[in-house]
Amino acid sequence: MSFLLRPSDGRPAPQARAGQYVSVRVLMADGVHQLRQYSLSSDPGGDLRRVTVKRVAGTSGAPDGEVSHLLHDQVREGDELTLSAPFGDVFLDDPADATTPVVLVSGGIGGTPMTSILAHLAALGSTRPVLMLHADRSPADHALRTGRGSWSGNCRSPARSSGTSSPARRNPTRVRA
C-alpha cells in the first residue's frame, strides 16, 4: 500500500533525493510511539512524497508487523503522520544531461528506492541507458511492478527490466528475464 503525503502546514516538503528514506512515527494502542523507516517510492520533486508499506505477516511464530498493520488498517486520507526529513546515502543525484548508464539492482521491498530513482529519471526526461534487475518470490510479491513499467516508458532511453525469481528456483545467482 502506498501513501501520498504532503506537509500539513502547507509549507514545501523537505528536499529529498531519489532513493532516500524517511522515518515515520506512529502512536500505538498501548501509548508507545514507534518509528519505522520507509523508502520514498516516487520522484522526490514537487510537494508530495510517497512511501510504500508492505504489510508484514509474522512467520514461524513471529508476530505480525505492528506498524505496517496499523498503517494498512487504520490510516485514512486526511490523517496526519509524523515524518522525519529524508535521509540515506543510497541515492541518485542526477543532472539532466548525464549520459552514463545506470544499473539498478534490488530484491523484495528493496525495490522501492529503485522505483524512486526510475521515477526521477523519467521526470527529468533522462536519456541515460537504464537496466533494472529485481528479484522477488513471485510476481504478486513484486511491489510497484506496474508503476515501474509506466516510468520506464517515460524515459527517453527506455529502461529495460529483468523480472521475478521463481519460487521453485531460489538460487540467488539466477534471475529469470
Side-chain angles (χ1 to χ4, degrees), residues 8-22:
S8 60
D9 61 8
R11 295 191 322 211
Q15 187 173 350
R17 293 178 170 160
Q20 290 187 308
Y21 67 90
V22 293

Side-chain angles (χ1 to χ4, degrees), residues 2 41-43 50 52 111-112 114-123 126 132 143-159:
S2 292
S41 57
S42 62
D43 175 38
R50 183 175 77 176
T52 301
T112 54
M114 301 307 131
T115 300
S116 175
I117 291 170
L118 186 57
H120 178 63
L121 289 168
S126 176
M132 183 166 189
L144 303 170
R145 182 179 185 162
T146 56
R148 286 186 189 139
S150 65
W151 287 318
S152 66
N154 290 337
C155 290
R156 288 189 208 146
S157 174

Side-chain angles (χ1 to χ4, degrees), residues 72-159:
H72 275 255
D73 296 340
Q74 296 181 19
V75 174
R76 300 290 174 254
E77 186 174 344
D79 289 351
E80 289 189 17
L81 295 172
T82 303
L83 270 65
S84 71
F87 290 98
D89 295 329
V90 177
F91 59 84
L92 179 67
D93 194 14
D94 183 61
D97 61 346
T99 58
T100 55
V102 175
V103 177
L104 304 172
V105 180
S106 60
I109 199 65
T112 54
M114 301 307 131
T115 300
S116 175
I117 291 170
L118 186 57
H120 178 63
L121 289 168
L124 290 174
S126 176
T127 60
R128 296 172 77 165
V130 178
L131 174 63
M132 183 166 189
L133 302 170
H134 180 81
D136 225 313
R137 288 188 177 104
S138 72
D141 290 320
H142 192 155
L144 303 170
R145 182 179 185 162
T146 56
R148 286 186 189 139
S150 65
W151 287 318
S152 66
N154 290 337
C155 290
R156 288 189 208 146
S157 174

Side-chain angles (χ1 to χ4, degrees), residues 30 56 64 100 119 163:
D30 62 4
V56 178
D64 291 341
T100 55

